[in-house]
Amino acid sequence: MKDLLLTYRGRINRAKIWMALLYYIGIGVAVGVLFMILAQLLPGDVDEDGLPTFGAKSLPMIVLGLAYLVFSVWSGICVGIKRFHDRDKSGWWLLIQLVPVIGLIWYFVEVFCLKGTTGANRFGPDPRSEEHTSE
């Protein structure tokens, strides 16, 4: 899992990026549950508008939220780069997502739907051939 989510070198196929998406969903649910538990353990006051205020008691929630944010951004970049590598494209193609509307569609199709290059390319060996030889 560490090699899949936290390094940007090499290539991954479509199955692995869908598996990474499932990891992200599971981790997101776990962090959400931890937030709910912390909110119950660290009750705050209510301000004049009826909104909860946590003050210094919210520090564990802030730390957890920032850690999750840093992990998610770094991991998403790493997984996207490896997937573009499988398509024999530079990791800089991640920036296509910054193009309004079309960029996100392009990214989804390129990364989640299209097959990677067959055989080795400039970014490494074919991940599918590695799976078949290790069995």
Side-chain angles (χ1 to χ4, degrees), residues 78-98:
C78 289
V79 169
I81 287 173
K82 286 189 284 193
R83 187 63 188 117
F84 274 113
H85 284 177
D86 191 43
R87 301 270 307 132
D88 202 17
K89 295 184 177 191
S90 167
W92 288 105
W93 274 92
L94 281 175
L95 298 177
I96 193 73
Q97 297 175 83
L98 299 177

Side-chain angles (χ1 to χ4, degrees), residues 85-115:
H85 284 177
D86 191 43
R87 301 270 307 132
D88 202 17
K89 295 184 177 191
S90 167
W92 288 105
W93 274 92
L94 281 175
L95 298 177
I96 193 73
Q97 297 175 83
L98 299 177
V99 177
V101 183
I102 299 298
L104 292 176
I105 295 168
W106 184 309
Y107 179 81
F108 178 78
V109 170
E110 188 84 31
V111 170
F112 286 94
C113 301
L114 297 178
K115 183 179 183 283

